[in-house]
Amino acid sequence: MAPRKRSTMWNHFRDLENGTVKCGYCSKILSVAAGSFGNLNRHLRTVHPAVILSTPKPTEMVHNEDVVDDPGTPVESDTPNSKVTTKQQSSITNFLQSKKPVSIVRSKQLDDQVTRMIVKGYYSFRMVDDKEFRKFVEMLNPGYQLPCRQTVSKNLIPRLYNCTLEQLKQQIQSSTAICLTTDGWTCINNRGYIAITAHYIEPNGTLSSICLSCEEFNERHTSTNLANYLKNITVEWDINYKIVAIVTDNAPNITAAVREMKYRHIGCFAHSINLLVQHSLEHISTPLKKVKCIVEFFKKSSSALAKLHSAQKNMGLPQLKLKQDVVTRWNSTYDMLKRIISIKDAVISTLAILQSSIQVLTPAEWEVVEKAVDVLQIFHEVTEEISSEKTVSISKVIVLVTSMFHTVETFVLDINIPYEVNLMANSLKAQLKKRFEEIEDNEIISQAAILDPRFKQFGFKNENKFNKALSILRTRISNIKLPSDSNPQKPLETVTSTPQPTSSLLWKVYENKVGKLKSIQNPTAAGLIELDKYMQEPLIDRHDDPLKWWYERKSIYPRLYTFVLKRLCITATSVPCERIFSEAGQIITQKRNSLNTKKASQLIFLHNNL
């Protein structure tokens, strides 16, 4: 009897003569003369990677030289006295991992991630019903059952919304003071929404921003209705007693609503800049209209745009597209003018070749546009600087106003600029004076500038106004009481009338002296001492984070730090609401205009807070 072959390699190879074997899958002849199966193992792993080495022996069960074409045809073994029959070799899918359902916890985690992907990526709920996407997910994890569209809409979105809402409500309770911004927006299907954002300094000293709500508001936009809506939101979040200011645009109804709520109102700084620049652009209206017509022409004609790009390439200019302006955003006008100036030669050349009826700017008008861009640059930079919601902005207002005044004054006195640009510069100067001349009298803005270690008194243009602001601040700081101030120091007589049995005569004189000093000190004096000491500190670099500086010294200036939390959390603009509306426009689109308002509000809330 032949010795039994115990190696699993014989499940995949047939023994031939002269120390050779035949592969049961590809019929390749391999040598085993040396008694080693290393080459057989290597052959299986490289040529047949899907084969599991412990599978039943295909060569012992199928000895036919030819491969059976019909998978359902039984094959008889040619081994003598053998009665074993089998079908064709197993398909490769039989060797793949079988489906094993994922755990409930893991399934919820995957559901949550799918929901987050839909919310953050502006995807439609129908995405989860797409056959190819479901097939892709099944290939990645066969054990995970992807939810359907109804489940995402009715269960997963509300669940994630409620969970996020509760987390943020707990998070915001750790704040000391909160600033709100609010604004209105009309979506593509003519439904009105109101957004509210909250800004506060976290216990770790970082500035945080969250979206409280962006909900449909179908009532009349009267001051009373707006005030009631704002009040309901603040009560729902339990922050009505923490609000230090509300930042909005200069519309009379929202301004009156803030007054009805008896909160401090801060006008949007970026909105004021937009208004003064738009008013002054009237002096260059003629070349401005021509530029708009040129941009519109190239936007509508694909052939003209192709020729423009070709001209830019031939002239060695960067291949840039023209930009169109938006009425509500003056910065877009600046971008439009700056872009057409950068490819001026290509535009003139292309219009000449096309012989279009579009009016071309004269050389004098091109000079007006170029100089106007130089004048408007300072306003563009200020708008970009002040619109950040991740850094402190309210303390920069006075410094930026001073910079705008100084820059515009240089153009007013420049006799070499075109007449129209000079008129625009004079108009800008008048508008700056009208809107910002009294900015240093604003209590909140002036106090924020003083409490910013980057500026202090050096941000002020008028020394008298600084002294007035500092005086008011001293009064405010002197009224701050810390929790430790509720237990005042006991009088000296009480301390010394009943000496401790273990007291030492060695320290008696010293302890009496210190006791007298402590009895004289009070919270008012302590606050003033902190303020005077702070004003003697050197300025930090303009690029440093003032909140980090204060957080590192909160134990040195505990009363000042308490007041800093109420001032540096205030934003200078309502731009955070504008950003919410920009993202909301990606959610409520022409294809998704049937999305109900409640679901849309949940999606907007999650997109901005996740």
Side-chain angles (χ1 to χ4, degrees):
M1 179 180 292
R4 184 178 179 182
K5 298 178 179 180
R6 300 179 180 275
S7 174
T8 58
M9 287 294 108
W10 298 115
N11 294 337
H12 311 282
F13 297 89
R14 181 182 176 186
D15 191 7
L16 301 178
E17 298 178 354
N18 302 324
T20 58
V21 295
K22 182 178 181 180
C23 177
Y25 303 103
C26 63
S27 301
K28 184 175 182 179
I29 306 300
L30 301 172
S31 172
V32 290
S36 172
F37 294 148
N39 58 337
L40 306 186
N41 196 335
R42 191 181 309 108
H43 173 76
L44 289 178
R45 294 187 182 279
T46 56
V47 181
H48 311 291
V51 173
I52 300 177
L53 298 183
S54 60
T55 55
K57 297 187 293 184
T59 54
E60 290 186 6
M61 303 176 73
V62 183
H63 295 297
N64 295 44
E65 295 284 342
D66 300 326
V67 179
V68 180
D69 294 330
D70 184 4
T73 304
V75 180
E76 294 187 0
S77 173
D78 58 358
T79 305
N81 301 325
S82 174
K83 297 181 180 181
V84 178
T85 60
T86 184
K87 294 183 180 180
Q88 183 191 10
Q89 69 181 60
S90 300
S91 171
I92 190 171
T93 57
N94 295 337
F95 297 100
L96 297 178
Q97 181 181 4
S98 61
K99 290 185 179 180
K100 182 179 179 182
V102 298
S103 64
I104 297 178
V105 175
R106 182 59 176 169
S107 180
K108 288 184 177 180
Q109 292 176 345
L110 294 174
D111 288 345
D112 180 74
Q113 186 57 41
V114 169
T115 308
R116 289 171 179 266
M117 180 189 69
I118 291 175
V119 170
K120 297 295 289 185
Y122 308 107
Y123 297 116
S124 171
F125 296 159
R126 294 188 181 91
M127 178 181 181
V128 295
D129 288 340
D130 183 77
K131 292 183 180 180
E132 298 302 324
F133 180 69
R134 296 187 74 90
K135 188 181 298 183
F136 173 70
V137 173
E138 184 177 2
M139 292 175 65
L140 293 177
N141 192 336
Y144 171 61
Q145 182 64 37
L146 194 67
C148 64
R149 176 175 59 86
Q150 290 81 2
T151 301
V152 172
S153 176
K154 297 180 180 180
N155 295 334
L156 299 183
I157 293 290
R159 185 177 74 184
L160 182 59
Y161 171 79
N162 293 329
C163 180
T164 306
L165 181 64
E166 292 303 318
Q167 290 177 354
L168 292 177
K169 283 184 177 180
Q170 295 178 6
Q171 175 182 324
I172 202 171
Q173 291 305 314
S174 63
S175 63
T176 301
I178 299 173
C179 167
L180 299 183
T181 70
T182 183
D183 203 354
W185 172 68
T186 302
C187 68
I188 192 172
N189 54 11
N190 203 30
R191 291 177 177 174
Y193 286 79
I194 289 184
I196 304 176
T197 65
H199 310 266
Y200 58 94
I201 300 174
E202 295 185 355
N204 61 2
T206 59
L207 188 63
S208 182
S209 302
I210 62 174
C211 172
L212 299 185
S213 71
C214 184
E215 301 176 355
E216 183 185 20
F217 190 81
N218 49 22
E219 300 180 14
R220 293 183 59 201
H221 287 206
T222 63
S223 59
T224 301
N225 291 339
L226 292 173
N228 291 335
Y229 177 76
L230 292 172
K231 181 178 179 181
N232 292 337
I233 295 297
T234 58
V235 171
E236 177 187 350
W237 284 76
D238 193 24
I239 58 174
N240 52 310
Y241 59 95
K242 294 184 176 182
I243 298 173
V244 293
I246 299 180
V247 183
T248 71
D249 58 22
N250 299 323
N253 55 348
I254 190 62
T255 304
V258 176
R259 287 199 302 266
E260 286 185 26
M261 298 177 69
K262 304 196 182 303
Y263 290 128
R264 292 177 180 268
H265 176 264
I266 301 292
C268 176
F269 188 64
H271 183 254
S272 297
I273 293 177
N274 178 67
L275 292 177
L276 72 89
V277 173
Q278 290 289 356
H279 181 273
S280 302
L281 287 175
E282 297 176 356
H283 296 283
I284 59 169
S285 59
T286 301
L288 190 59
K289 288 179 181 178
K290 289 186 177 181
V291 171
K292 290 182 179 180
C293 291
I294 293 174
V295 173
E296 187 176 359
F297 170 72
F298 283 105
K299 288 289 185 181
K300 290 184 176 180
S301 176
S302 58
S303 60
L305 182 61
K307 289 185 179 297
L308 177 62
H309 287 168
S310 177
Q312 294 177 53
K313 183 177 180 181
N314 295 334
M315 293 181 179
L317 299 174
Q319 295 191 29
L320 303 173
K321 293 182 179 180
L322 293 173
K323 294 183 178 181
Q324 186 61 280
D325 71 336
V326 181
V327 177
T328 56
R329 297 179 181 176
W330 88 264
N331 260 9
S332 61
T333 304
Y334 171 83
D335 293 334
M336 178 185 69
L337 297 178
K338 186 175 181 181
R339 175 57 57 86
I340 200 171
I341 289 297
S342 63
I343 55 175
K344 166 186 171 183
D345 294 337
V347 171
I348 295 175
S349 174
T350 304
L351 291 176
I353 294 173
L354 295 174
Q355 296 183 352
S356 172
S357 60
I358 300 295
Q359 289 187 337
V360 183
L361 279 74
T362 64
E365 288 174 333
W366 278 114
E367 185 182 3
V368 169
V369 172
E370 291 174 357
K371 293 298 181 181
V373 169
D374 294 338
V375 176
L376 296 175
Q377 181 179 354
I378 181 64
F379 297 94
H380 171 78
E381 293 179 359
V382 167
T383 304
E384 294 288 330
E385 179 74 23
I386 207 67
S387 298
S388 173
E389 58 182 295
K390 300 296 184 182
T391 57
V392 176
S393 59
I394 190 66
S395 59
K396 300 177 183 177
V397 170
I398 293 179
V399 178
L400 297 181
V401 168
T402 303
S403 297
M404 288 188 292
F405 267 113
H406 177 75
T407 304
V408 170
E409 184 68 24
T410 59
F411 288 102
V412 170
L413 300 176
D414 188 354
I415 60 175
N416 296 320
I417 63 176
Y419 176 72
E420 296 88 347
V421 179
N422 185 265
L423 289 178
M424 184 183 73
N426 278 280
S427 176
L428 289 170
K429 179 182 177 181
Q431 287 292 315
L432 282 171
K433 186 175 181 180
K434 175 183 176 181
R435 297 179 182 276
F436 300 123
E437 186 177 25
E438 307 298 329
I439 194 69
E440 294 183 1
D441 292 325
N442 187 295
E443 182 178 336
I444 290 181
I445 295 177
S446 60
Q447 290 173 0
I450 294 174
L451 293 174
D452 193 322
R454 298 172 297 179
F455 309 127
K456 297 183 182 179
Q457 70 269 29
F458 300 99
F460 287 78
K461 183 179 180 181
N462 190 312
E463 185 177 356
N464 293 329
K465 292 185 177 182
F466 161 72
N467 292 329
K468 179 181 176 181
L470 182 62
S471 177
I472 297 175
L473 180 59
R474 292 174 67 89
T475 303
R476 291 274 188 176
I477 298 299
S478 64
N479 293 329
I480 294 179
K481 293 184 178 180
L482 300 177
S484 58
D485 297 334
S486 58
N487 298 320
Q489 182 72 26
K490 294 182 180 181
L492 183 61
E493 301 81 47
T494 307
V495 176
T496 57
S497 58
T498 56
Q500 297 295 328
T502 57
S503 61
S504 172
L505 294 176
L506 178 64
W507 294 100
K508 184 176 180 179
V509 175
Y510 172 77
E511 290 175 352
N512 290 342
K513 184 177 181 180
V514 173
K516 291 180 180 179
L517 178 62
K518 290 183 177 180
S519 64
I520 295 174
Q521 290 180 346
N522 57 72
T524 300
L528 298 179
I529 291 173
E530 287 184 18
L531 180 59
D532 292 338
K533 183 178 180 180
Y534 161 73
M535 295 303 295
Q536 298 301 319
E537 291 265 14
L539 294 179
I540 64 175
D541 188 82
R542 179 177 62 84
H543 301 93
D544 291 342
D545 184 2
L547 293 180
K548 181 180 179 182
W549 187 92
W550 275 112
Y551 181 74
E552 293 172 349
R553 293 161 178 80
K554 64 178 182 179
S555 58
I556 302 176
Y557 307 105
R559 291 168 179 81
L560 270 181
Y561 186 72
T562 301
F563 197 73
V564 164
L565 298 178
K566 298 179 181 181
R567 288 294 177 263
L568 299 190
C569 70
I570 301 174
T571 63
T573 70
S574 58
V575 170
C577 286
E578 295 289 343
R579 292 195 177 103
I580 288 178
F581 296 146
S582 297
E583 294 166 352
Q586 301 294 324
I587 295 174
I588 308 175
T589 61
Q590 189 67 43
K591 293 184 177 180
R592 304 180 74 186
N593 58 9
S594 60
L595 194 68
N596 69 71
T597 55
K598 181 178 179 181
K599 192 66 62 181
S601 296
Q602 292 178 348
L603 291 174
I604 296 170
F605 176 87
L606 290 172
H607 181 86
N608 287 276
N609 289 321
L610 288 179

